[in-house]
Amino acid sequence: MDAHSLAGALRVEAESFAVAAELAPLDRDVPACPGMTVGDLLVHLGSIHRMVAEWIGRGARPVGWESSPGADPIDWYRTGAASLITVLDPERAASPAATWCPWDRTLGFWVRRMAHETAVHRFDAQAAIGSAAPLELGLAADGIDEVLHLWLGCHQPPGIHTSGQAVTLRVPGREWTVALHEGVVDYCPQATPAAVVSGSPSAVDLWLWGRVGEEHVSVEGDVSVVRSLRAAVAAATG
């Protein structure tokens, strides 16, 4: 997705998150995030938005996150989201910016990262009120790409079970094939996969993020290799 499309998605997802959070009691549990309530989710996402805006402004990672929403957490969240959206001007996507990605140190990195962060948590907030809508088709496909290349490429932790066998993730019009080795991810589109995970872009992206289970996607082949990939993603994304 281009920066303008991602910035538009961020605006839509940020507002949809706020609407869902307004409809849920703050002490309502978030289904896919054990131990987290809607109030916790508000503080989490609102703090991330503020942290990223500060990170960009000061040119370095902030020491801590703001986590004091005050008397009106929805208003506090909206204020932070609006400030972040202003900072993430897609016209400036190619401008230099401090990031945690070795190969992308531009403002566009944050436009993409915040669109996906906000979309996944919008799904969380809507799930808490029983009305979780799927991710938008193009955004979800880009989200799969981000998980496999950015998160696994930067953050694959040691000790994750690896076999070197390839897994293909397939959605209409796109596919990715990856193989996990100790501390290394191979991107191998010509490999014969040990397993294939397929489904809608939203289902596959949300499965990677642990928001839906295997029953929401189709798995063919060696299920253990698929589960090893999912475990590696869970470890990489925290």
Side-chain angles (χ1 to χ4, degrees):
M1 292 181 76
D2 61 70
H4 284 274
S5 297
L6 287 163
L10 172 59
R11 288 191 295 272
V12 170
E13 297 289 354
E15 177 57 21
S16 296
F17 175 92
V19 170
E22 283 181 315
L23 294 173
L26 293 180
D27 62 355
R28 175 76 58 81
D29 289 337
V30 178
C33 303
M36 180 174 276
T37 65
V38 171
D40 297 331
L41 188 64
L42 264 170
V43 172
H44 174 74
L45 185 57
S47 296
I48 287 175
H49 286 170
R50 285 167 165 78
M51 178 193 66
V52 169
E54 183 182 352
W55 194 329
I56 294 165
R58 70 196 297 260
R61 183 191 294 264
V63 174
W65 296 14
E66 181 182 341
S67 57
S68 302
D72 189 340
I74 298 289
D75 182 66
W76 174 84
Y77 164 79
R78 287 185 187 276
T79 298
S83 296
L84 177 67
I85 288 166
T86 298
V87 169
L88 295 180
D89 179 359
E91 294 291 340
R92 298 177 53 244
S95 300
T99 75
W100 52 262
C101 177
W103 60 83
D104 189 353
R105 292 187 279 277
T106 68
L107 194 70
F109 167 86
W110 288 117
V111 177
R112 186 189 198 201
R113 178 80 286 282
M114 289 299 96
H116 293 303
E117 184 78 18
T118 305
V120 170
H121 288 317
R122 182 274 297 165
F123 183 89
D124 289 335
Q126 289 182 340
I129 57 173
S131 62
L135 304 180
E136 187 275 325
L137 194 128
L139 183 66
D142 189 71
I144 298 166
D145 190 83
E146 192 207 39
V147 168
L148 297 178
H149 289 94
L150 176 65
W151 287 97
L152 281 184
C154 285
H155 286 170
Q156 190 190 358
I160 293 298
H161 174 70
T162 57
S163 66
Q165 293 180 289
V167 178
T168 293
L169 283 78
R170 183 175 294 149
V171 302
R174 292 189 73 175
E175 69 176 40
W176 303 256
T177 301
V178 298
L180 301 181
H181 302 269
E182 184 61 41
V184 176
V185 184
D186 281 353
Y187 301 95
C188 42
Q190 281 76 47
T192 299
V196 176
V197 178
S198 58
S200 71
S202 179
V204 174
D205 192 23
L206 291 169
W207 170 76
L208 282 170
W209 279 102
R211 267 46 186 193
V212 300
E214 283 179 16
E215 68 275 11
H216 290 266
V217 295
S218 173
V219 178
E220 302 172 58
D222 191 334
V223 175
S224 67
V225 178
V226 169
R227 290 175 181 168
S228 292
L229 173 64
R230 171 69 195 97
V233 170
T237 57

